[in-house]
Amino acid sequence: MKRAIFPGTFDPFTIGHYSIVQRGLCFFDEIVIGIGHNQSKKTLFTIEKRLDIIRQSFKDEKRIKIQSYNSLTVDFALLVDAAFVLRGLRSVGDFEYERTIADSNRKLTGVETVILFTESQYSYISSTVARDLISYGKDISSFLPPNVIL
Ligand code: ADP
């Protein structure tokens, strides 16, 4: 069984995240979406709401599991018996950060990182912009996966 985790803060989970997970299902038998949960990191959405949005996104998909975690990401991968970390890449801005983390995860535990480029129509989508729009009272439904109601 090829299992990957897809870790992130997901504040909130967007259509960009959704697309990476859907495409990741071509490579993995199961993907565990791991919501990083750090008490000291302030988020707009509660952990319950972030879980709810992701559950709504993958209602009928048996190969997707959803969990929160508050450990090192690579320890979460070992905990759920995943040999891979799935990540998405939008820009050169993401690249250096992802490479550093991927290298250290491989060195620490042998867990490999698989990176998919974003679909170009989602390259501008980010949780940060979604939160900014919310703070100005704007509708963010076009940033969210299909069928998600906030
Ligand atoms: P983190 O706090 O770990 O960066 P995020 O929730 O911001 O968590 O993102 C999780 C993963 O999803 C990261 O690999 C990020 O690059 C990727 N990602 C975020 N937005 C998009 C997008 N629009 N298209 C593709 N990948 C994305």
Side-chain angles (χ1 to χ4, degrees), residues 62-87:
K62 302 266 178 299
R63 293 193 294 144
I64 301 290
K65 309 282 182 234
I66 308 156
Q67 248 174 268
S68 64
Y69 70 97
N70 59 8
S71 63
L72 205 58
T73 295
V74 90
D75 286 335
F76 176 64
L78 297 177
L79 179 77
V80 300
D81 202 19
F84 303 95
V85 176
L86 175 65
R87 295 284 286 177

Side-chain angles (χ1 to χ4, degrees), residues 10-14 43-46 49-50 53 126-144 148-150:
F10 308 130
D11 187 34
F13 192 80
T14 67
T43 56
L44 179 63
F45 292 91
T46 62
K49 190 63 204 174
R50 285 182 280 155
I53 292 171
S126 75
S127 301
T128 309
V129 174
R131 290 194 302 275
D132 282 350
L133 289 171
I134 289 171
S135 73
Y136 288 101
K138 300 290 183 201
D139 172 39
I140 61 153
S141 44
S142 65
F143 275 57
L144 299 174
V148 166
I149 298 162
L150 269 189

Side-chain angles (χ1 to χ4, degrees), residues 6-10 16-17 20 87-88 90 94 98 118 122 125:
F6 182 60
T9 311
F10 308 130
H17 296 129
I20 297 291
R87 295 284 286 177
R90 281 163 295 189
D94 287 342
E98 294 295 340
T118 184
Y122 301 138
I125 302 266

Side-chain angles (χ1 to χ4, degrees), residues 2 17 22 27 38 40 42 45 50-51 64 84 87-89 101 107 111 120-122 126 128 133 148:
K2 267 206 178 92
H17 296 129
Q22 285 290 0
F27 308 103
N38 182 340
S40 65
K42 265 251 150 264
F45 292 91
R50 285 182 280 155
L51 276 163
I64 301 290
F84 303 95
R87 295 284 286 177
L89 200 77
I101 303 285
K107 276 268 190 314
V111 168
S120 54
Q121 73 266 33
Y122 301 138
S126 75
T128 309
L133 289 171
V148 166

